[in-house]
Amino acid sequence: GSADVLTRLSTWTLRLENNLATTYGPRTGQAPEEYERAGPARATLTFVDARHPADTWQTRWGSNTTLMADAKMTSETNIPSTSTPYALRCYLPSCKVTSAQLTTAGARLPSDTVQLVGIVPGAAAAGFPATSALAPFFMEVVSAVSAHSLVG
């Protein structure tokens, strides 16, 4: 089984790499006309867990544990005429810890700097929204605009 673990982060970075290469077309030889995948798409989440109650992240890294992650950001204001806040939710349906470093320097409490890399799951992730294709990363946008520029 799995357990929900809420981690409050002091710092985080989400890096998305689509790994597309451009091919300059025969018509002009100048403008890109086609994009081809030069490598698999990659999603990397790096964060600082401000509390270090145990060696949880180091253990998961050492045992190569497959995890799931999602991050939800919401606004303090609601979408006009609703009680729903604007929101952006990022999902990594299958990921592995690639680095977990304990920081004990200074007078602060110990913290963990952790890096997760999304991998393409073997099947749809339970508890996550259904998608048309399996991918290492996807996002959900809650907005007043029906065709939002972030999602196509």
Side-chain angles (χ1 to χ4, degrees), residues 11-77:
T11 304
W12 65 276
T13 303
L14 178 63
R15 181 180 172 99
L16 304 174
E17 299 172 67
N18 206 6
N19 288 323
L20 294 177
T22 59
T23 302
Y24 292 96
R27 287 182 282 174
T28 64
Q30 296 174 357
E33 294 182 22
E34 284 190 37
Y35 294 89
E36 295 179 0
R37 188 150 317 273
R42 184 177 171 104
T44 305
L45 174 64
T46 305
F47 61 89
V48 175
D49 186 348
R51 296 176 28 181
H52 176 78
D55 290 338
T56 304
W57 293 111
Q58 289 78 12
T59 301
R60 290 176 177 162
W61 181 24
S63 63
N64 203 28
T65 305
T66 301
L67 304 168
M68 299 165 62
D70 70 282
K72 183 176 183 180
M73 285 98 8
T74 58
S75 67
E76 294 180 3
T77 58

Side-chain angles (χ1 to χ4, degrees), residues 45-121:
L45 174 64
T46 305
F47 61 89
V48 175
D49 186 348
R51 296 176 28 181
H52 176 78
D55 290 338
T56 304
W57 293 111
Q58 289 78 12
T59 301
R60 290 176 177 162
W61 181 24
S63 63
N64 203 28
T65 305
T66 301
L67 304 168
M68 299 165 62
D70 70 282
K72 183 176 183 180
M73 285 98 8
T74 58
S75 67
E76 294 180 3
T77 58
N78 290 337
I79 297 171
S81 303
T82 74
S83 59
T84 305
Y86 293 95
L88 175 65
R89 193 154 188 178
C90 303
Y91 298 93
L92 281 89
S94 184
C95 55
K96 300 241 180 190
V97 178
T98 57
S99 176
Q101 303 299 319
L102 175 62
T103 303
T104 58
R108 298 184 324 220
L109 292 172
S111 63
D112 289 309
T113 300
V114 180
Q115 185 174 69
L116 302 172
V117 172
I119 54 177
V120 176

